[in-house]
mmCIF file of all heavy atoms in Angstrom:
data_model
loop_
_atom_site.group_PDB
_atom_site.id
_atom_site.type_symbol
_atom_site.label_atom_id
_atom_site.label_comp_id
_atom_site.label_asym_id
_atom_site.label_seq_id
_atom_site.Cartn_x
_atom_site.Cartn_y
_atom_site.Cartn_z
ATOM 1 N N LYS K 281 70.776 -53.028 -55.981
ATOM 2 C CA LYS K 281 70.335 -51.636 -55.983
ATOM 3 C C LYS K 281 68.807 -51.570 -55.932
ATOM 4 O O LYS K 281 68.231 -50.721 -55.236
ATOM 5 C CB LYS K 281 70.860 -50.940 -57.242
ATOM 6 C CG LYS K 281 70.514 -49.474 -57.332
ATOM 7 C CD LYS K 281 71.133 -48.834 -58.566
ATOM 8 C CE LYS K 281 70.833 -47.344 -58.624
ATOM 9 N NZ LYS K 281 71.449 -46.701 -59.821
ATOM 10 N N GLU K 282 68.145 -52.470 -56.682
ATOM 11 C CA GLU K 282 66.685 -52.459 -56.754
ATOM 12 C C GLU K 282 66.062 -52.731 -55.386
ATOM 13 O O GLU K 282 65.071 -52.087 -55.007
ATOM 14 C CB GLU K 282 66.190 -53.493 -57.772
ATOM 15 C CG GLU K 282 66.545 -53.183 -59.212
ATOM 16 C CD GLU K 282 68.020 -53.384 -59.523
ATOM 17 O OE1 GLU K 282 68.694 -54.125 -58.752
ATOM 18 O OE2 GLU K 282 68.511 -52.808 -60.515
ATOM 19 N N TRP K 283 66.625 -53.694 -54.649
ATOM 20 C CA TRP K 283 66.071 -54.014 -53.339
ATOM 21 C C TRP K 283 66.204 -52.833 -52.377
ATOM 22 O O TRP K 283 65.260 -52.497 -51.651
ATOM 23 C CB TRP K 283 66.777 -55.242 -52.761
ATOM 24 C CG TRP K 283 66.313 -55.586 -51.374
ATOM 25 C CD1 TRP K 283 65.100 -56.090 -51.013
ATOM 26 C CD2 TRP K 283 67.053 -55.426 -50.155
ATOM 27 N NE1 TRP K 283 65.038 -56.257 -49.651
ATOM 28 C CE2 TRP K 283 66.217 -55.862 -49.103
ATOM 29 C CE3 TRP K 283 68.336 -54.970 -49.870
ATOM 30 C CZ2 TRP K 283 66.650 -55.838 -47.771
ATOM 31 C CZ3 TRP K 283 68.752 -54.950 -48.543
ATOM 32 C CH2 TRP K 283 67.913 -55.377 -47.514
ATOM 33 N N LEU K 284 67.359 -52.170 -52.379
ATOM 34 C CA LEU K 284 67.564 -51.031 -51.494
ATOM 35 C C LEU K 284 66.624 -49.879 -51.853
ATOM 36 O O LEU K 284 66.048 -49.234 -50.967
ATOM 37 C CB LEU K 284 69.026 -50.562 -51.563
ATOM 38 C CG LEU K 284 70.065 -51.485 -50.891
ATOM 39 C CD1 LEU K 284 71.473 -51.037 -51.229
ATOM 40 C CD2 LEU K 284 69.869 -51.516 -49.382
ATOM 41 N N GLU K 285 66.471 -49.624 -53.148
ATOM 42 C CA GLU K 285 65.642 -48.490 -53.576
ATOM 43 C C GLU K 285 64.148 -48.768 -53.408
ATOM 44 O O GLU K 285 63.392 -47.892 -52.954
ATOM 45 C CB GLU K 285 65.953 -48.147 -55.036
ATOM 46 C CG GLU K 285 67.300 -47.485 -55.245
ATOM 47 C CD GLU K 285 67.552 -47.131 -56.700
ATOM 48 O OE1 GLU K 285 66.888 -47.735 -57.579
ATOM 49 O OE2 GLU K 285 68.415 -46.267 -56.955
ATOM 50 N N ASN K 286 63.735 -49.972 -53.757
ATOM 51 C CA ASN K 286 62.299 -50.262 -53.818
ATOM 52 C C ASN K 286 61.715 -50.818 -52.520
ATOM 53 O O ASN K 286 60.500 -50.711 -52.290
ATOM 54 C CB ASN K 286 62.006 -51.244 -54.955
ATOM 55 C CG ASN K 286 62.425 -50.689 -56.304
ATOM 56 O OD1 ASN K 286 62.401 -49.476 -56.528
ATOM 57 N ND2 ASN K 286 62.826 -51.568 -57.216
ATOM 58 N N GLU K 287 62.539 -51.406 -51.675
ATOM 59 C CA GLU K 287 62.015 -52.021 -50.460
ATOM 60 C C GLU K 287 62.572 -51.402 -49.166
ATOM 61 O O GLU K 287 61.826 -51.180 -48.218
ATOM 62 C CB GLU K 287 62.301 -53.533 -50.477
ATOM 63 C CG GLU K 287 61.611 -54.265 -51.637
ATOM 64 C CD GLU K 287 61.751 -55.769 -51.518
ATOM 65 O OE1 GLU K 287 61.477 -56.299 -50.416
ATOM 66 O OE2 GLU K 287 62.133 -56.409 -52.512
ATOM 67 N N VAL K 288 63.866 -51.143 -49.144
ATOM 68 C CA VAL K 288 64.461 -50.619 -47.906
ATOM 69 C C VAL K 288 64.117 -49.153 -47.700
ATOM 70 O O VAL K 288 63.738 -48.745 -46.590
ATOM 71 C CB VAL K 288 65.993 -50.824 -47.917
ATOM 72 C CG1 VAL K 288 66.625 -50.129 -46.710
ATOM 73 C CG2 VAL K 288 66.332 -52.300 -47.909
ATOM 74 N N ILE K 289 64.246 -48.348 -48.742
ATOM 75 C CA ILE K 289 63.963 -46.915 -48.587
ATOM 76 C C ILE K 289 62.538 -46.658 -48.100
ATOM 77 O O ILE K 289 62.334 -45.826 -47.208
ATOM 78 C CB ILE K 289 64.268 -46.156 -49.894
ATOM 79 C CG1 ILE K 289 65.789 -46.061 -50.104
ATOM 80 C CG2 ILE K 289 63.650 -44.759 -49.881
ATOM 81 C CD1 ILE K 289 66.212 -45.297 -51.341
ATOM 82 N N PRO K 290 61.496 -47.343 -48.637
ATOM 83 C CA PRO K 290 60.142 -47.127 -48.087
ATOM 84 C C PRO K 290 60.023 -47.446 -46.599
ATOM 85 O O PRO K 290 59.328 -46.741 -45.864
ATOM 86 C CB PRO K 290 59.272 -48.067 -48.929
ATOM 87 C CG PRO K 290 59.995 -48.178 -50.229
ATOM 88 C CD PRO K 290 61.448 -48.176 -49.853
ATOM 89 N N VAL K 291 60.709 -48.510 -46.142
ATOM 90 C CA VAL K 291 60.689 -48.845 -44.719
ATOM 91 C C VAL K 291 61.345 -47.717 -43.918
ATOM 92 O O VAL K 291 60.842 -47.301 -42.856
ATOM 93 C CB VAL K 291 61.419 -50.181 -44.465
ATOM 94 C CG1 VAL K 291 61.581 -50.437 -42.960
ATOM 95 C CG2 VAL K 291 60.671 -51.333 -45.112
ATOM 96 N N LEU K 292 62.457 -47.216 -44.426
ATOM 97 C CA LEU K 292 63.170 -46.132 -43.754
ATOM 98 C C LEU K 292 62.333 -44.856 -43.726
ATOM 99 O O LEU K 292 62.271 -44.151 -42.705
ATOM 100 C CB LEU K 292 64.505 -45.890 -44.468
ATOM 101 C CG LEU K 292 65.448 -44.833 -43.891
ATOM 102 C CD1 LEU K 292 65.756 -45.129 -42.421
ATOM 103 C CD2 LEU K 292 66.738 -44.782 -44.698
ATOM 104 N N VAL K 293 61.663 -44.560 -44.821
ATOM 105 C CA VAL K 293 60.814 -43.364 -44.903
ATOM 106 C C VAL K 293 59.686 -43.436 -43.877
ATOM 107 O O VAL K 293 59.391 -42.452 -43.177
ATOM 108 C CB VAL K 293 60.255 -43.197 -46.327
ATOM 109 C CG1 VAL K 293 59.137 -42.160 -46.349
ATOM 110 C CG2 VAL K 293 61.373 -42.792 -47.291
ATOM 111 N N ASN K 294 59.035 -44.601 -43.752
ATOM 112 C CA ASN K 294 57.945 -44.756 -42.787
ATOM 113 C C ASN K 294 58.442 -44.641 -41.349
ATOM 114 O O ASN K 294 57.782 -44.034 -40.495
ATOM 115 C CB ASN K 294 57.248 -46.108 -42.992
ATOM 116 C CG ASN K 294 56.469 -46.165 -44.293
ATOM 117 O OD1 ASN K 294 56.051 -45.138 -44.820
ATOM 118 N ND2 ASN K 294 56.290 -47.364 -44.818
ATOM 119 N N PHE K 295 59.607 -45.237 -41.088
ATOM 120 C CA PHE K 295 60.207 -45.157 -39.746
ATOM 121 C C PHE K 295 60.460 -43.701 -39.365
ATOM 122 O O PHE K 295 60.152 -43.273 -38.248
ATOM 123 C CB PHE K 295 61.508 -45.963 -39.728
ATOM 124 C CG PHE K 295 62.283 -45.864 -38.443
ATOM 125 C CD1 PHE K 295 62.002 -46.712 -37.384
ATOM 126 C CD2 PHE K 295 63.298 -44.918 -38.299
ATOM 127 C CE1 PHE K 295 62.721 -46.622 -36.197
ATOM 128 C CE2 PHE K 295 64.016 -44.825 -37.117
ATOM 129 C CZ PHE K 295 63.730 -45.677 -36.065
ATOM 130 N N LEU K 296 61.025 -42.936 -40.286
ATOM 131 C CA LEU K 296 61.347 -41.539 -40.002
ATOM 132 C C LEU K 296 60.094 -40.675 -39.905
ATOM 133 O O LEU K 296 60.023 -39.750 -39.083
ATOM 134 C CB LEU K 296 62.277 -40.986 -41.087
ATOM 135 C CG LEU K 296 63.672 -41.620 -41.166
ATOM 136 C CD1 LEU K 296 64.436 -41.072 -42.372
ATOM 137 C CD2 LEU K 296 64.466 -41.371 -39.883
ATOM 138 N N ALA K 297 59.090 -40.969 -40.743
ATOM 139 C CA ALA K 297 57.865 -40.160 -40.752
ATOM 140 C C ALA K 297 57.166 -40.186 -39.402
ATOM 141 O O ALA K 297 56.596 -39.178 -38.965
ATOM 142 C CB ALA K 297 56.925 -40.644 -41.850
ATOM 143 N N GLU K 298 57.193 -41.334 -38.721
ATOM 144 C CA GLU K 298 56.586 -41.429 -37.391
ATOM 145 C C GLU K 298 57.235 -40.462 -36.405
ATOM 146 O O GLU K 298 56.622 -40.056 -35.423
ATOM 147 C CB GLU K 298 56.713 -42.859 -36.855
ATOM 148 C CG GLU K 298 55.918 -43.887 -37.641
ATOM 149 C CD GLU K 298 56.157 -45.289 -37.112
ATOM 150 O OE1 GLU K 298 56.894 -45.426 -36.095
ATOM 151 O OE2 GLU K 298 55.627 -46.239 -37.700
ATOM 152 N N ARG K 299 58.461 -40.100 -36.678
ATOM 153 C CA ARG K 299 59.224 -39.226 -35.784
ATOM 154 C C ARG K 299 59.322 -37.798 -36.302
ATOM 155 O O ARG K 299 60.097 -36.997 -35.781
ATOM 156 C CB ARG K 299 60.631 -39.819 -35.596
ATOM 157 C CG ARG K 299 60.594 -41.128 -34.821
ATOM 158 C CD ARG K 299 61.748 -42.039 -35.181
ATOM 159 N NE ARG K 299 61.765 -43.234 -34.329
ATOM 160 C CZ ARG K 299 60.959 -44.283 -34.494
ATOM 161 N NH1 ARG K 299 60.084 -44.295 -35.486
ATOM 162 N NH2 ARG K 299 61.021 -45.307 -33.675
ATOM 163 N N GLY K 300 58.566 -37.503 -37.360
ATOM 164 C CA GLY K 300 58.564 -36.164 -37.925
ATOM 165 C C GLY K 300 59.747 -35.883 -38.824
ATOM 166 O O GLY K 300 60.016 -34.721 -39.161
ATOM 167 N N LEU K 301 60.456 -36.931 -39.251
ATOM 168 C CA LEU K 301 61.667 -36.764 -40.050
ATOM 169 C C LEU K 301 61.451 -37.241 -41.476
ATOM 170 O O LEU K 301 60.490 -37.944 -41.780
ATOM 171 C CB LEU K 301 62.822 -37.548 -39.410
ATOM 172 C CG LEU K 301 63.182 -37.151 -37.972
ATOM 173 C CD1 LEU K 301 64.207 -38.119 -37.404
ATOM 174 C CD2 LEU K 301 63.704 -35.723 -37.918
ATOM 175 N N SER K 302 62.388 -36.869 -42.341
ATOM 176 C CA SER K 302 62.316 -37.283 -43.746
ATOM 177 C C SER K 302 63.721 -37.379 -44.316
ATOM 178 O O SER K 302 64.675 -36.800 -43.768
ATOM 179 C CB SER K 302 61.490 -36.285 -44.568
ATOM 180 O OG SER K 302 62.091 -34.997 -44.531
ATOM 181 N N LEU K 303 63.845 -38.117 -45.410
ATOM 182 C CA LEU K 303 65.127 -38.243 -46.095
ATOM 183 C C LEU K 303 65.352 -37.065 -47.038
ATOM 184 O O LEU K 303 64.409 -36.539 -47.626
ATOM 185 C CB LEU K 303 65.181 -39.542 -46.899
ATOM 186 C CG LEU K 303 65.271 -40.851 -46.123
ATOM 187 C CD1 LEU K 303 65.219 -42.026 -47.085
ATOM 188 C CD2 LEU K 303 66.550 -40.905 -45.295
ATOM 189 N N SER K 304 66.597 -36.674 -47.178
ATOM 190 C CA SER K 304 66.965 -35.673 -48.174
ATOM 191 C C SER K 304 67.097 -36.363 -49.524
ATOM 192 O O SER K 304 67.961 -37.226 -49.704
ATOM 193 C CB SER K 304 68.289 -35.010 -47.787
ATOM 194 O OG SER K 304 68.782 -34.212 -48.846
ATOM 195 N N GLU K 305 66.236 -36.013 -50.466
ATOM 196 C CA GLU K 305 66.259 -36.661 -51.782
ATOM 197 C C GLU K 305 67.554 -36.378 -52.526
ATOM 198 O O GLU K 305 68.034 -37.221 -53.297
ATOM 199 C CB GLU K 305 65.064 -36.193 -52.615
ATOM 200 C CG GLU K 305 63.708 -36.621 -52.052
ATOM 201 C CD GLU K 305 62.562 -36.196 -52.942
ATOM 202 O OE1 GLU K 305 62.831 -35.628 -54.017
ATOM 203 O OE2 GLU K 305 61.392 -36.427 -52.556
ATOM 204 N N GLU K 306 68.134 -35.219 -52.305
ATOM 205 C CA GLU K 306 69.363 -34.851 -53.010
ATOM 206 C C GLU K 306 70.557 -35.683 -52.554
ATOM 207 O O GLU K 306 71.387 -36.093 -53.369
ATOM 208 C CB GLU K 306 69.669 -33.366 -52.794
ATOM 209 C CG GLU K 306 68.617 -32.423 -53.371
ATOM 210 C CD GLU K 306 68.953 -30.970 -53.095
ATOM 211 O OE1 GLU K 306 69.966 -30.719 -52.404
ATOM 212 O OE2 GLU K 306 68.206 -30.086 -53.548
#
Side-chain angles (χ1 to χ4, degrees):
K281 182 177 182 179
E282 293 72 20
W283 177 70
L284 288 170
E285 288 181 339
N286 300 329
E287 297 188 49
V288 173
I289 288 182
V291 172
L292 183 55
V293 167
N294 291 335
F295 175 86
L296 295 174
E298 294 176 3
R299 292 152 174 78
L301 301 173
S302 61
L303 289 176
S304 170
E305 295 183 3
E306 296 178 357

